[in-house]
Amino acid sequence: MSTLEVSPAEPLSGQSSHSVINDFSIQVATVNGSGSQTANSVLMRSIFQMGIPVSGKNMFPSNIAGLPTWFTIRASKHGYIGRRKEIDFLVAMNPETAREDVMKLDSGAAVVYDEPLKLSELRSDLHFYPVPFDKLVAPVCPDAKLRKLVRNMIYDGIVAWVLSIEMDEIHTALVKQFGKRKAKAADLNWGAAKAGFEYAAKTFTKTDPFRVERMNETAGKIIIDGNSACALGAMFAGVTVVTWYPITPSSSLVESLIGYMKRFRHDPETGKATYAIVQAEDELASIGMALGAGWAGARAMTSTAGPGISLMSEFIGLGYYAEIPTVVFDVERVGPSTGLPTRTAQSDILFAAFLSHGDTKHPLFFPCSPEECFSISIEAFEFAEKFQTPVFVMTDLDLGMNNWMADPFEYPEKPIHRGKVLNAEDLEKLGGFARYKDIDGDGVGYRTLPGTNHPSASYFTRGSGHNDKAQYTEREDDYINNMDRLAHKFEVMRQHVPAPVVRIADNAKIGFVAVGTSDYAVRESCDQLKNEYDIDASYLRLKAYPFTEQLTDFIRSHERVYVVDQNRDGQLLGLMRLEYDPELIAKLRSVRYYGGLPLDARTITDEIIRQEGK
Amino acid sequence: MSTAAPPPPKKVNRIGLEVLNYKGSKTTLCAGCGHNSISERIVECFYELGVEPYTVAKFSGIGCSSKSPAYFLGLSHGFNGVHGRMPAIATGALLANHTLKGIGVTGDGDTASIGIGQFMHLVRRNLPMIYIIEDNGVYGLTKGQFSATADLGSTLKTGVHNDLPPFDCCALALKWGATFVARSFSGDKKQLQAILKTAISHHGLSVIDVVSPCVTFNDHEGSTKSYSYMKEHEYMLQELDFVPSYEDISVEIPEGGVMDVQMHDGSHLRIRKLDRDFDPTDRFAALKMLEEAEKKHEVLTGVLYVNTNKPTFLELLNLDDAPVATLPQSKVRPAKSVLDEVMEELR
């Protein structure tokens, strides 16, 4: 990504002879803190409202104001909403990156830019639209202090004219963005968008081939980020204790949850909260509180990212060994250490799977879309209480912080099950209980909650060695029995985790295995391989670890299986290697990307072609 | 047929339970360990006040002290967590069920070294629970290294000299928000009982630092946490008397230098000052006095601070009256119309 590729300078003359409709990427290059987010969201939403499948990706720095930010919008009539590497349409607002941004474009791309940057001098093979933003913003925004923010809305008007985006849709998107309470701000921005549109109409002749045309592919859909979707999942799962510590890219998950809970989880009569949300002093405390709450019977969760996961490792071992339900959301970012806090990765997989010292293993759930962020979050809470153990919901920055087109979420019809909890009545009937005794053969014991009014309710929870009555022990047989039961419990989980999504292509010799947001790139790559190289590829998308029998069958039925990883070391592949015999492992291949940007289809396709020797 | 006399009636408390119902399993700590005396006091106090064991939740970290919750209140749920992080577990459990009476037992290593951060945040939150620090100045379970409450100049059994000043956990608790702060000595049955009973009645965080000598690793000459050092250096601030809510409150307050503090549950703490004039509702005075005592190598014991008005962390959260942990689905899963409303906003 860092090398400058200068395209051969084939000068363009006159108007483009062909049209590229609903199939291109727009990149807006700005400085963070300049208020471009509103302009970019409005642009994305207006294309969405015209019925065209669209995705938006924000590439932003770990900084509050003053560093370069890129927002990429992809419109795709085919419904591809993964990242596309090539940029067709650049809006260059940042003097610092403008020249590099322009030099990276493929020949034939279009550039809207701030006139004083004089970018048209750089290349003769691009379509340039210079705009005097400062001159245009002054009359529509008399308050000089607001101009920096309103200025960006002018490019929405310009782009609308160049790409034939309907101005009514820009207006609708603006009103939606600002809401009724900020009607004045919406008006001000609308004035700026109109000024841009009028200037373009009066000044430019369209020479580039890109434009949008109304479709009907987005009717009924919603736009939401994955973090908000997880938050909604948690609320409808009936979460009651939420503890957290701010960290990019997971902060907005709990912040969004706070917003929803304030609206919908207070008793209408008393106004009292049916939940507690606590910002802890660090991740050590947030996971400790979540476990304390899970132990006392709450549906408890915490949300974090890589560095937080590292800090939580000791407590997660306690949660595993003492068998306490809780849900940990890991919105993955680039590591190791602080890494790239605002870039995406799937690089916590191996660490999370075996988090903590000693023999530990944990179920991981992998949603790939907002719909799954919602439904899998609900499943995670059920699962944690069913199996009395910490469950990780593994998302990433791309899914968590970007806006996605999605189908409306389905209301959970299954009633909430709190797992094996004995109340005073049960205890009276049973005459007592042994906390860690495997009564049902599934490795899961029965628990009681503190506050249960019965003389045989109490037990002593500890992270030290314990027998099935939860008593301290250092006996060899007690220790082995307990560890074997925990291993058995993990095996039983295989039958209960969310099943993978399997797509078998007829006659396919090769198959893909991936998790989470790799899905978009893999699906598009399957089409590229078929259309461009006539290669059929099957695809299994895992939704959880431990793996199910379907994965074994999938590997058996293909000659080569490409495991897609968004990390350097092939962590998903590594996890699979631990499970299988050499015969199956020999079939596994690795496709890895770890540059911090959302994975794109071309990267996968090129790598498959290289490895397939085509 | 013999006419043997019927067995004497079992002694029970006001809710009909025997003292046996408040005991735990047999201690595995050293004979003579101060911690065992503290466990005994806890048993007595909960028994005497007639607290329902099932309403209590016990918490601890890691260390000798943290083993002790297994040795009292066997009918209460207990949670022995990880080193220095008992406050987080207790906070979570009390968020889930705010009707529980929390009692935490920790040591000076658990609190003042690895756990100082969580301790300070627990204090800052004024979480309603009892937090007992069994303070012996050493790590017992790892065989006698200094902890962060060991006094400057004190020595280990091996002769190693402590070059760093101690944390005074009471001063920290006073400064940052605990609402009942006391120091006691494991060997002082009467004082510790009065303090514990007040803590059970207190609505807020009670921090009780109990000097509790380690007979194996820190009871020698050169230690400032030994039985003999306490004998020479303890300075009792007050004579304490606890009057439970269910006893006749009309008992007259004795005359002269006695302060009566009414606790949240209607019980009373009566504080008769001894020769030093000191107001335990004055935080700054308490801090100043601790500072001066340190210079004089005095160990002040008694009630250092009591504040019955400050809202607790749980009150600030405006929680449902019933524990959130066990609210029914109708209260925790919003209706389908709510999801429809949210989806409509996102279209």
Side-chain angles (χ1 to χ4, degrees):
Chain A
M1 288 302 290
S2 63
T3 52
L4 287 185
E5 280 179 42
V6 181
S7 312
E10 186 80 26
L12 295 168
S13 56
Q15 221 163 321
S16 187
S17 55
H18 68 293
S19 285
V20 178
I21 298 163
N22 298 345
D23 191 14
F24 53 83
S25 289
I26 306 168
Q27 183 167 69
V28 182
T30 53
V31 173
N32 76 326
S34 67
S36 56
Q37 220 174 344
T38 304
N40 296 336
S41 300
V42 166
L43 203 54
M44 176 179 165
R45 188 167 265 287
S46 58
I47 297 171
F48 168 79
Q49 287 164 194
M50 287 180 70
I52 303 153
V54 69
S55 63
K57 307 233 179 265
N58 194 11
M59 273 155 258
F60 60 105
S62 180
N63 169 267
I64 297 303
L67 288 180
T69 299
W70 294 269
F71 190 81
T72 311
I73 298 168
R74 180 179 185 184
S76 169
K77 60 185 171 196
H78 306 293
Y80 298 133
I81 55 173
R83 188 173 78 91
R84 187 167 167 273
K85 273 202 276 195
E86 303 78 14
I87 301 301
D88 304 295
F89 198 106
L90 174 71
V91 179
M93 301 295 286
N94 181 2
E96 221 180 290
T97 65
R99 298 177 87 83
E100 195 181 334
D101 289 338
V102 166
M103 296 313 283
K104 275 196 244 176
L105 294 170
D106 283 348
S107 188
V111 184
V112 167
Y113 69 99
D114 193 12
E115 199 166 34
L117 298 176
K118 296 193 175 128
L119 300 178
S120 59
E121 293 167 1
L122 296 173
R123 303 264 300 258
S124 56
D125 60 339
L126 305 175
H127 304 274
F128 285 102
Y129 300 100
V131 181
F133 283 97
D134 287 337
K135 268 187 217 158
L136 293 179
V137 75
V140 295
C141 184
D143 185 346
K145 274 183 281 180
L146 293 176
R147 277 180 203 156
K148 190 182 93 171
L149 302 174
V150 173
R151 197 173 178 265
N152 286 311
M153 197 52 70
I154 291 175
Y155 68 67
D156 277 13
I158 304 277
V159 173
W161 183 84
V162 179
L163 293 176
S164 311
I165 298 168
E166 292 165 22
M167 281 300 274
D168 282 353
E169 298 297 2
I170 297 264
H171 187 253
T172 307
L174 250 176
V175 170
K176 179 129 196 144
Q177 182 81 19
F178 283 100
K180 288 191 187 102
R181 280 177 301 145
K182 293 182 183 166
K184 254 177 111 175
D187 281 351
L188 188 64
N189 280 280
W190 175 234
K194 270 197 306 190
F197 186 87
E198 281 155 19
Y199 176 82
K202 179 174 82 196
T203 319
F204 300 139
T205 305
K206 181 166 171 81
T207 56
D208 71 274
F210 307 105
R211 63 190 177 84
V212 298
E213 232 174 53
R214 195 168 266 283
M215 292 175 74
N216 192 24
E217 294 297 317
T218 65
K221 289 191 187 285
I222 59 167
I223 290 183
I224 189 171
D225 59 276
N227 281 350
S228 298
C230 286
L232 283 169
M235 178 168 76
F236 282 93
V239 71
T240 46
V241 174
V242 181
T243 56
W244 68 299
Y245 186 75
I247 183 170
T248 304
S250 89
S251 306
S252 63
L253 196 160
V254 177
E255 283 167 337
S256 162
L257 182 55
I258 291 168
Y260 288 127
M261 297 288 258
K262 277 189 176 160
R263 284 177 65 190
F264 302 118
R265 282 284 298 275
H266 283 257
D267 188 293
E269 276 158 36
T270 63
K272 292 192 171 180
T274 60
Y275 65 92
I277 300 183
V278 172
Q279 184 183 322
E281 56 270 33
D282 54 32
E283 289 91 343
L284 302 169
S286 60
I287 184 62
M289 290 177 190
L291 287 172
W295 174 76
R299 281 221 150 160
M301 64 167 272
T302 183
S303 177
T304 190
I309 294 290
S310 289
L311 287 171
M312 290 178 185
S313 63
E314 186 190 24
F315 255 133
I316 288 295
L318 174 68
Y320 172 79
Y321 197 39
E323 301 179 63
I324 300 167
T326 194
V327 175
V328 180
F329 289 88
D330 179 7
V331 188
E332 293 167 277
R333 66 187 216 188
V334 173
S337 189
T338 306
L340 309 179
T342 59
R343 295 299 145 91
T344 195
Q346 296 178 338
S347 53
D348 297 344
I349 295 175
L350 267 181
F351 187 51
F354 303 108
L355 196 63
S356 208
H357 57 275
D359 288 321
T360 51
K361 42 190 171 179
H362 316 289
L364 314 178
F365 286 10
F366 302 103
C368 86
S369 61
E371 294 93 320
E372 286 187 358
C373 283
F374 181 75
S375 61
I376 281 186
S377 296
I378 295 173
E379 278 191 75
F381 283 98
E382 290 285 319
F383 199 88
E385 288 186 336
K386 184 183 179 77
F387 287 100
Q388 302 175 3
T389 200
V391 174
F392 289 86
V393 178
M394 309 291 289
T395 77
D396 59 33
L397 181 141
D398 182 22
L399 180 55
M401 288 190 76
N402 283 320
N403 277 319
W404 298 79
M405 199 175 76
D407 287 322
F409 304 157
E410 284 174 27
Y411 189 74
E413 296 300 341
K414 272 198 281 182
I416 291 173
H417 278 295
R418 306 300 311 272
K420 299 182 188 180
V421 179
L422 301 173
N423 59 27
E425 240 171 77
D426 300 328
L427 291 165
E428 191 59 35
K429 269 184 242 160
L430 294 166
F433 85 115
R435 169 67 185 93
Y436 298 112
K437 197 169 170 68
D438 185 4
I439 303 281
D440 304 321
D442 57 2
V444 185
Y446 284 79
R447 62 184 187 128
T448 57
L449 305 181
T452 304
N453 185 4
H454 195 275
S456 59
S458 70
Y459 69 98
F460 198 79
T461 302
R462 55 179 106 232
S464 46
H466 45 269
N467 60 19
D468 62 8
K469 293 192 185 71
Q471 292 158 330
Y472 183 81
T473 173
E474 295 176 4
R475 286 174 59 113
E476 184 188 33
D477 54 348
D478 282 339
Y479 177 77
I480 292 174
N481 289 343
N482 196 26
M483 291 303 281
D484 286 351
R485 182 183 53 78
L486 283 164
H488 173 62
K489 179 166 96 170
F490 200 73
E491 284 307 307
V492 173
M493 288 180 197
R494 283 185 207 278
Q495 317 301 323
H496 298 270
V497 295
V501 179
V502 188
R503 199 169 74 172
I504 300 290
D506 290 339
N507 311 317
K509 292 192 170 71
I510 66 166
F512 282 109
V513 172
V515 295
T517 51
S518 297
D519 182 57
Y520 302 93
V522 172
R523 280 194 282 142
E524 190 176 350
S525 174
C526 285
D527 291 351
Q528 288 175 349
L529 288 167
K530 180 68 187 163
N531 297 338
E532 298 169 21
Y533 300 95
D534 200 26
I535 294 175
D536 291 297
S538 299
Y539 173 31
L540 180 146
R541 181 168 61 81
L542 288 165
K543 286 190 187 173
Y545 172 75
F547 305 133
T548 65
E549 198 54 34
Q550 285 112 311
L551 180 61
T552 320
D553 295 342
F554 186 83
I555 301 170
R556 273 193 214 292
S557 57
H558 292 87
E559 289 180 16
R560 292 172 298 284
V561 172
Y562 289 92
V563 183
V564 179
D565 263 298
Q566 294 186 47
N567 56 69
R568 185 192 67 183
D569 293 342
Q571 297 190 16
L572 182 59
L573 175 71
L575 205 51
M576 288 168 64
R577 277 187 173 145
L578 289 169
E579 297 245 338
Y580 294 113
D581 298 334
E583 166 215 353
L584 290 187
I585 291 172
K587 292 181 165 196
L588 303 179
R589 305 280 183 279
S590 185
V591 175
R592 288 159 294 141
Y593 169 75
Y594 45 95
L597 300 176
L599 181 59
D600 68 285
R602 185 57 61 189
T603 296
I604 299 178
T605 302
D606 289 352
E607 181 60 15
I608 298 299
I609 294 307
R610 193 186 69 74
Q611 293 194 35
E612 288 284 303
K614 300 271 173 174
Chain B
M1 293 289 284
S2 70
T3 53
K10 282 177 184 164
K11 206 178 160 200
V12 294
N13 65 7
R14 66 189 183 102
I15 60 165
L17 295 180
E18 296 171 56
V19 71
L20 197 66
N21 299 120
Y22 290 83
K23 291 194 168 168
S25 56
K26 194 171 167 290
T27 178
T28 59
L29 300 173
C30 307
C33 174
H35 301 356
N36 288 332
S37 313
I38 299 169
S39 294
E40 283 164 26
R41 297 297 88 73
I42 292 170
V43 169
E44 290 158 7
C45 290
F46 278 87
Y47 165 73
E48 285 170 18
L49 291 180
V51 179
E52 284 281 11
Y54 79 89
T55 63
V56 180
K58 306 174 289 181
F59 305 97
S60 63
I62 294 291
C64 291
S65 59
S66 294
K67 286 172 171 245
S68 66
Y71 315 140
F72 59 81
L73 300 183
L75 295 183
S76 305
H77 276 72
F79 197 146
N80 178 205
V82 296
H83 200 17
R85 323 222 184 273
M86 174 260 277
I89 301 250
T91 304
L94 296 179
L95 289 170
N97 185 347
H98 65 273
T99 66
L100 293 171
K101 182 93 218 164
I103 176 167
V105 178
T106 167
D108 39 298
D110 202 54
T111 284
S113 293
I114 189 168
I116 191 85
Q118 294 217 339
F119 171 57
M120 289 319 323
H121 284 275
L122 181 79
V123 166
R124 176 174 175 247
R125 290 194 178 100
N126 188 31
L127 189 79
M129 71 177 286
I130 304 163
Y131 189 92
I132 299 169
I133 306 163
E134 298 185 339
D135 189 354
N136 57 20
V138 286
Y139 290 81
L141 211 49
T142 51
K143 303 197 171 180
Q145 301 81 5
F146 279 126
S147 82
T149 66
D151 286 307
L152 183 67
S154 60
T155 58
L156 289 181
K157 227 174 165 180
T158 53
V160 177
H161 190 265
N162 181 30
D163 299 327
L164 293 174
F167 275 130
D168 182 335
C169 293
C170 287
L172 291 171
L174 270 166
K175 178 72 183 87
W176 301 113
T179 41
F180 179 64
V181 181
R183 175 165 281 137
S184 190
F185 173 44
S186 62
D188 188 338
K189 184 171 171 173
K190 184 170 179 288
Q191 185 194 49
L192 186 51
Q193 272 195 348
I195 287 171
L196 277 173
K197 285 181 178 173
T198 308
I200 293 168
S201 303
H202 180 57
H203 185 61
L205 178 68
S206 301
V207 172
I208 308 169
D209 183 71
V210 188
V211 178
S212 173
C214 174
V215 288
T216 307
F217 295 107
N218 208 15
D219 199 28
H220 51 272
E221 201 165 324
S223 162
T224 59
K225 308 277 190 209
S226 64
Y227 283 107
S228 61
Y229 187 88
M230 281 304 282
K231 215 172 208 174
E232 286 163 27
H233 296 262
E234 182 184 4
Y235 183 91
M236 267 174 67
L237 287 167
Q238 312 113 338
E239 219 175 81
L240 303 171
D241 193 18
F242 180 83
V243 187
S245 59
Y246 51 84
E247 276 181 15
D248 189 4
I249 303 178
S250 65
V251 173
E252 261 178 54
I253 300 172
E255 277 172 38
V258 172
M259 183 177 184
D260 182 86
V261 183
Q262 185 172 345
M263 305 309 292
H264 190 262
D265 67 352
S267 53
H268 290 252
L269 172 66
R270 286 182 179 158
I271 305 171
R272 179 199 294 275
K273 66 182 178 206
L274 298 172
D275 56 335
R276 212 168 284 184
D277 204 22
F278 164 63
D279 174 4
T281 62
D282 183 344
R283 215 152 55 90
F284 301 104
L287 280 165
K288 186 164 172 262
M289 196 174 58
L290 283 173
E291 189 78 25
E292 287 166 357
E294 197 190 335
K295 283 183 199 135
K296 289 189 272 182
H297 302 290
E298 276 175 356
V299 183
L300 300 184
T301 62
V303 172
L304 295 165
Y305 182 62
V306 58
N307 173 350
T308 55
N309 297 319
K310 194 176 157 185
T312 72
F313 183 60
L314 299 178
E315 282 168 335
L316 299 176
L317 294 171
N318 186 32
L319 297 172
D320 203 285
D321 294 339
V324 296
T326 46
L327 290 174
Q329 177 169 327
S330 59
K331 279 210 149 190
V332 298
R333 173 172 285 170
K336 183 167 185 300
S337 58
V338 168
L339 185 63
D340 293 342
E341 182 184 337
V342 174
M343 291 299 107
E344 196 48 44
E345 288 168 7
L346 296 165
R347 263 181 237 277

